[in-house]
Amino acid sequence: MDALAALLEGPRARGAFVLRSVLSPPWSLRIQDESPLTLVAMVRGSAWVLTTGGEQRRIAAGDVAVFRGPRPYTVADDPGTEPQILINPGQVTTTMDGEVLCETMSLGVRQWGNDPDGETVMVTGSYEYAGAVSRRLLRALPVMLVVPRGRSDDRLLDLLTDETVKELPAQGVVLDRLLDLLLIATLRTWFSGAEAPPWYHAYGDPLVGKALRLLQHNPAHAWTVAALAQEVGASRAALARRFTELVGEPPMAFLTEWRLDLAADLLQGTEDTVEAIARKVGYGSAFALSTAFKRHFGVSPREHRSAGVVTEVPSAG
């Protein structure tokens, strides 16, 4: 399995929130739903996205944007429009004063907005649960990415748009799978571009690419830089220097994060014991994994498994 396949096999929407929004200006939505991953596809018109970090970006018809939670962001007709509506956890929609708007602004089956003939139409799909998206994938993504029209898959976008407003048997399952497909297609396109994380492009290097595959495919092995260098046929110093240059961090730092990301996924995606997971990802005991896990994520493995939520995940790019 290649590096991208290993990441993109993760998304498995389960009861995802999918909604078609129809809006006329002025409008501004403050998204603070804490979803681990959200996809916004512009069907008609355009919108501005403002992130917590101050980034502003316009998305136009045919563009697909992906947002990595849980930090809030704003989607509006214009950067100067003040937020009017809050999208809260559980997709509860309120005014800025707390008045619930879910029914007030309903336009039919999975349709919502302030004008049924609005000039802006967008489809939003949110992964509600942390277990639906691997932490490894989240860590590889920036807070926001946009795949412009012409590079995104219009067929999948059109299909998801059409299916969103239908109410047929097993419709929720159909929407889950279409959302997965559109997300995977969008991310595959994004990873092929220059903005992908350094380690992904490093796979093309004959020395570092081989080292990355060894680390990612065999995380339980007792790796050292010397052992890794011997496997790839390079000196310890040459491998460490080249790896750090292309990936952005030393081999053992990359391996530690990879092991802990794998552990985080296994904790929420399996019923394996912490001891069993520790050995699968290269730690000698549950205690050793728990110590490293809490130092890295701020919670213990058991707390992570029980919570089932995504805490802030730093980007690897």
Side-chain angles (χ1 to χ4, degrees):
M1 181 180 293
D2 63 48
L4 187 56
L7 284 179
L8 297 187
E9 69 169 352
R12 294 288 188 277
R14 296 190 297 274
F17 174 81
V18 180
L19 184 71
R20 183 175 184 263
S21 300
V22 188
L23 299 156
S24 284
W27 58 271
S28 180
L29 315 176
R30 182 63 172 169
I31 317 297
Q32 52 185 39
D33 59 4
E34 300 180 4
S35 295
L37 201 68
T38 297
L39 181 147
V40 176
M42 294 301 301
V43 179
R44 188 172 73 219
S46 63
W48 283 87
V49 178
L50 297 82
T51 69
T52 303
E55 182 181 359
Q56 296 185 10
R57 184 156 182 178
R58 181 178 179 270
I59 51 176
D63 294 351
V64 179
V66 177
F67 302 92
R68 172 171 61 82
R71 285 189 286 178
Y73 54 94
T74 299
V75 183
D77 69 303
D78 185 88
T81 304
E82 290 294 323
Q84 305 155 339
I85 296 170
L86 294 176
I87 312 297
N88 299 290
Q91 304 302 327
V92 176
T93 307
T94 69
T95 65
M96 302 302 289
D97 295 328
E99 177 187 352
V100 177
L101 295 172
C102 298
E103 296 299 326
T104 306
M105 299 184 71
S106 175
L107 298 176
V109 176
R110 298 186 194 86
Q111 294 189 85
W112 177 95
N114 62 10
D115 180 357
D117 300 313
E119 61 188 59
T120 299
V121 178
M122 56 187 177
V123 171
T124 301
S126 293
Y127 288 77
E128 299 283 86
Y129 308 103
V133 186
S134 77
R135 184 173 290 269
R136 287 172 290 155
L137 175 57
L138 293 176
R139 204 180 136 263
L141 301 178
V143 173
M144 174 179 69
L145 66 90
V146 178
V147 172
R149 182 175 186 173
R151 295 189 65 209
S152 59
D153 194 322
D154 293 339
R155 298 166 301 173
L156 288 174
L157 174 54
D158 291 344
L159 189 55
L160 178 62
T161 301
D162 291 342
E163 290 290 335
T164 296
V165 296
K166 294 179 180 179
E167 193 62 281
L168 299 171
Q171 192 66 15
V173 176
V174 171
L175 292 174
D176 282 349
R177 297 292 75 77
L178 285 175
L179 178 59
D180 287 343
L181 285 171
L182 182 56
L183 175 68
I184 289 169
T186 299
L187 294 182
R188 183 172 63 176
T189 298
W190 181 79
F191 270 96
S192 69
E195 295 179 318
W199 63 259
Y200 180 71
H201 292 300
Y203 263 89
D205 183 85
L207 183 67
V208 177
K210 185 176 181 181
L212 280 168
R213 291 181 180 89
L214 286 168
L215 294 177
Q216 292 185 316
H217 295 170
N218 304 282
H221 186 75
W223 290 111
T224 63
V225 178
L228 190 61
Q230 184 176 6
E231 287 289 332
V232 302
S235 70
R236 181 182 183 279
L239 174 62
R241 182 174 59 253
R242 184 68 174 163
F243 194 103
T244 303
E245 176 187 336
L246 294 183
V247 178
E249 59 185 341
M252 293 302 101
F254 177 87
L255 177 61
T256 296
E257 291 187 343
W258 181 254
R259 284 171 167 169
L260 293 173
D261 287 339
L262 283 173
D265 287 349
L266 290 169
L267 284 163
Q268 292 188 339
T270 74
E271 295 183 357
D272 291 350
T273 65
V274 176
E275 184 74 30
I277 291 172
R279 298 194 183 283
K280 282 183 180 180
V281 302
Y283 285 88
S285 66
F287 177 78
L289 172 61
S290 297
T291 300
F293 197 96
K294 189 163 187 177
R295 182 170 58 246
H296 188 69
F297 292 123
V299 295
S300 71
R302 288 185 173 83
E303 288 170 334
H304 172 76
R305 169 172 273 172
S306 299
V309 298
V310 171
T311 52
E312 186 66 21
V313 181
S315 170

